[in-house]
Amino acid sequence: MRTLIGAIASMVLAMSAIDAAAQAAPTGDSVYTSDLMTRWGREVTPDNAWRSYPRPQLKRDRWLNLNGLWDYAIAKDTAAQPMRMDGQILVPYPVESKLSRVARKVTPDDRIWYRRSFTVPQDWAGEHVMLNFGAVDFAATIWVNGAVVGSHKGGFDTFGFDITDYLKPGRNELVVQVADPTSAGTQPRGKQILDPSGIWYTAVSGIWQTVWLEPVPKLHIDDVRATPDIDRGVVDIAVALSGWASDTDAVKLTASAGGKVIASTIIRANRRATLAVPNARLWSPDDPYLYDLKAELVTVADPYAGQDERDRKAYDARFTQGEDRTYAAARIAGVPRDTVDTYFAMRKISIGPGRVAGQPAVLLNNKPLFQNGTLDQGWWPDGLYTAPSEEAMKSDLVFLKKAGFNMLRKHIKVEPARYYYDADHLGILIWQDMPSGGGEDQFVTGTSKSQAVLSSDAMAENQNELAAMIGDLRAFPSIVMWVVNNEGWGQYDSATLARYVKGMDPSRLVNADSGWLDVAPGASDVFDIHTYEDVPNTPTRQSTRAIVIGEYGGIGMPVTGHIWRPGKKNWGYQVATGEEDYLARFRRKMAGVIRAAREDGLSASVYTQTTDVEDEINGLLTYDRARAKASPEALAAIAAPLRTLSSER
C-alpha cells in the first residue's frame, strides 16, 4: 500500500509540474493544450520517458539514454546562445506539447536552445562514442563542450555524430539549437500548421524522439539491409560499415529461427550475401513470424596472403563470386569488434492476377489479400507527435487488430522505429506516406491539370528526406507500400519521384499519387482515389495497376468529455447522432467496399481514421484513446466478409 501511495503521489507531482510549466509560459506565446490527457500521459515522469532501445533493427547491448529533463530557452534568431535558460523541458516531447512541460509557440524567427550535461560510462574508455537523435524538427546544430560537432536538416529521420574527439573526462556539456519554420516554409512537415484548425494540427518543433549515446569501434556496422525473396527461398543481406574497409575486415552473418541457426556465412565488409531459408515460414497479418539476424564485424586472416601479385588479385576479385567463396572460407582471428542484432521476415508484396479477371490485384506472398486499413495520423493530445510511451503507441495497433483491420496508412508522418517494430510483431501492414511539404499556394487541387513548381532547393530537401525515410524504414517488413504524394499537397514531378523510390526499394509497392491528380500511371503500382461520399465510389478499372481507395469514411461523432476544444465547432465529413447511427453509417460504407472488392477487384481501402485529432472528430477512438465510438468486436464483425475474399477465387 505504501508503494502504491508513493506512486500516486509521484504521479500527482509530475502532473502538477506539467500544469505549472504550461501556466508559467509567457502569455503571448503559450500554446493551447486542452484538458485532454491520455492515461499513459498521466504516468509520464522524467525517469520513465521513452526508455526502450530506440533502434530495434540495429540493436547494440550498451547504450545511454539521454531522455529526461534538459534546460531550454526560446530566443530570436538574431540572439546569441542564451547564458540564462528559460526553464526545463522534458525530452523527447515537442516544445509545444503539454508533456514537454513547456507548451510554447515557436515562430520561424525563433530558435530553441537545449542544454544538458552527461558523463560517459567508465567502461566505455578507449571506444568511440556516437551521439544519436531519433528525430528533431527541423534544422539542428549540435555543440559538445563548446565545439560544433555537426548539423542536420529534416524533421523525421535519424542522425548521429561521432563525438569522441570532443569529449573530456567527467562531465560534458551538450547543447542543441533548433530552427523550425513549420508552415511558413516549404520543407516536409505533414499536417503541422502555425494556426491549427480543422484537419490542420498544432505545430511540432524541436527534439521529439529519443536521444542516446552508444559506444562503437571507429569502424563499425552502420546499416544492415535484409531483403527476402520467397520465390527463391533466400534472404539477400547487404551490410554497410561506417567507412572504408580493408581486406581483413569481414562480417559474419547468422540467421536463426526460434533460437536455432538456419544459415551462416562470412562476407568481406561492405558487401552483400544471400542466405538460404529452407521451408520458410511466411510473414502475414495472421502469422507475423520473424527470423533473427546477427551481424558481427570480425577480423579475418588475410585471405590473399602469400599469393603472387597479392594486391592485384585482391583488387580483381572485388564484387565477384570468387571473393564470396574466399571470404566464406576465411578464418576469423580474435573476437567480434562490433555486434548488432536485427531481424527479417520472409514475405513478398506484389501486383498480380486477382479474383476479377483483367483487374490486377495487390498480392501478399503471391496470393490476393484484401488490405482493410485506417488512415492513421499518429497525434496525441498530450505529446502531439510523440506518444506518451511505447505502450500508448502500441495500443492503437492492438485496437485496430481487434477491430478487424490488417493494415494502416501512416498519414504524412514518420513514427519512431519502435512503432514499426510493434507492427512487425503484431502483424499490421503499413502504407508509409512521405510527409507533405511545399507552400500553401503549391497545393494541387482536385481539378488541377498540372503539378506544383518548386525551387531546386525545395525539391532537393524533399528528395533528401524521402531518401532518408526509406533508408531508415526499409528494414521493417510491415511496410509494404511507399506513398509519395497525398492529394497534391506540394506534388511535383510525381512520375520521376515514384521511379526514384522504386529504384531505391524495388521490393515494395509504390503509390505515386494518393487521391486527386493521377499523373504517373506508368510509375505507380496502384490507382488510388479518395471518396467521402455516403457510399464510397469505386476506382475505375485499370489494366496494369491495382485499384485502391486511399481514403474514405470520415464518420464524425463527438463524445462529451473527450473533446479537444469544448465549445468550438468540431470537424467531420459526416456526423453520427449516436453509436447506433454510427454503426449504421459504418456498415453502409463497408458494404460499398465489400461490393467493390467482390465485383470490381478493389484491393484495399483506408478508412478515415484511427482516432480523433484536435478539432477533427472522424476517429474510431476519441483523441485521448479513452472511448471507442463502437466496440472493436462490432467493427470486426461488419468487416468480416473482407477476410474471406481471397478464398473465393
Side-chain angles (χ1 to χ4, degrees), residues 56-321:
Q57 272 285 20
L58 201 67
K59 187 177 184 301
R60 292 185 174 91
D61 290 335
R62 295 182 299 160
W63 66 296
L64 180 64
N65 194 323
L66 295 184
N67 292 343
L69 291 175
W70 296 41
D71 296 327
Y72 92 96
I74 299 176
K76 291 303 175 185
D77 54 1
T78 54
Q81 178 178 335
M83 299 298 293
R84 181 177 179 180
M85 306 299 271
D86 294 345
Q88 290 191 311
I89 183 170
L90 183 54
V91 170
Y93 302 103
V95 171
E96 295 89 346
S97 71
K98 181 182 291 188
L99 285 177
S100 73
R101 306 185 176 198
V102 174
R104 289 174 60 183
K105 294 178 182 178
V106 177
T107 73
D109 297 329
D110 288 332
R111 298 295 179 266
I112 313 166
W113 292 89
Y114 295 83
R115 185 182 68 200
R116 67 157 292 158
S117 62
F118 65 90
T119 301
V120 176
Q122 291 184 355
D123 61 357
W124 293 9
E127 301 184 76
H128 282 246
V129 177
M130 292 294 299
L131 170 63
N132 300 306
F133 293 83
V136 179
D137 193 6
F138 160 71
T141 303
I142 293 89
W143 289 260
V144 172
N145 294 324
V148 175
V149 300
S151 60
H152 176 267
K153 280 187 175 182
F156 301 93
D157 54 302
T158 63
F159 63 96
F161 305 102
D162 185 335
I163 62 171
T164 309
D165 293 340
Y166 304 89
L167 297 173
K168 62 183 181 182
R171 182 178 175 181
N172 293 270
E173 183 185 65
L174 170 60
V175 173
V176 179
Q177 183 212 59
V178 181
D180 184 15
T182 311
S183 52
T186 58
Q187 81 290 349
R189 61 188 177 277
K191 283 204 168 186
Q192 302 179 58
I193 197 167
L194 292 169
D195 185 19
S197 180
I199 66 168
W200 305 101
Y201 315 140
T202 302
V204 171
S205 302
I207 298 171
W208 67 277
Q209 291 187 30
T210 294
V211 185
W212 78 102
L213 298 173
E214 191 168 47
V216 295
K218 182 176 182 180
L219 183 67
H220 55 271
I221 297 170
D222 209 40
D223 203 358
V224 178
R225 298 190 290 270
T227 305
D229 188 331
I230 68 170
D231 298 325
R232 294 162 56 212
V234 301
V235 58
D236 295 313
I237 303 167
V239 183
L241 302 190
S242 58
W244 292 9
S246 72
D247 291 330
T248 58
D249 295 319
V251 175
K252 181 181 179 182
L253 296 170
T254 305
S256 304
K260 182 180 179 180
V261 174
I262 60 170
S264 182
T265 193
I266 301 171
I267 59 174
R268 188 192 188 280
N270 289 326
R271 295 292 190 270
R272 55 175 50 85
T274 299
L275 298 181
V277 184
N279 303 311
R281 183 171 167 181
L282 303 184
W283 184 97
S284 72
D286 290 333
D287 184 20
Y289 188 79
L290 299 168
Y291 290 84
D292 294 319
L293 179 64
K294 183 184 293 292
E296 300 170 287
L297 176 60
V298 297
T299 302
V300 297
D302 185 351
Y304 303 104
Q307 297 186 26
D308 293 338
E309 296 186 319
R310 183 249 173 244
D311 292 346
R312 170 52 62 183
K313 287 189 176 179
Y315 184 86
D316 290 344
R318 291 181 177 181
F319 300 100
T320 67
Q321 292 182 347

Side-chain angles (χ1 to χ4, degrees), residues 186 437-444 448-460 488-494 517:
T186 58
E440 194 281 330
D441 67 322
Q442 296 156 333
F443 284 10
V444 178
S448 297
K449 302 302 179 184
S450 62
Q451 300 179 82
V453 177
L454 302 182
S455 70
S456 296
D457 286 347
M459 290 190 292
W489 299 351
Q491 176 179 331
Y492 72 95
D493 212 357
S494 180
L517 189 61

Side-chain angles (χ1 to χ4, degrees), residues 557-571:
M557 189 174 86
V559 179
T560 302
H562 303 275
I563 300 298
W564 170 252
R565 210 185 309 251
K568 183 179 185 296
K569 185 177 181 181
N570 300 120
W571 191 89

Side-chain angles (χ1 to χ4, degrees), residues 478-520:
S478 53
I479 298 175
V480 295
M481 184 183 294
W482 302 113
V483 181
V484 180
N485 290 295
N486 176 72
E487 291 189 350
W489 299 351
Q491 176 179 331
Y492 72 95
D493 212 357
S494 180
T496 299
L497 290 180
R499 287 190 289 267
Y500 176 61
V501 171
K502 182 66 82 171
M504 287 189 66
D505 183 11
S507 71
R508 290 182 172 88
L509 303 182
V510 175
N511 184 345
D513 307 302
S514 183
W516 298 7
L517 189 61
D518 176 43
V519 294

Side-chain angles (χ1 to χ4, degrees), residues 36 68 126 140 178 180 217 222 233 285 324 350 361 385 424 445 501 524 546 602 607 637:
L36 277 189
V178 181
D180 184 15
D222 209 40
D324 295 343
S350 59
Y385 254 19
D424 290 345
T445 71
V501 171
S524 186
L602 184 73
Y607 179 84

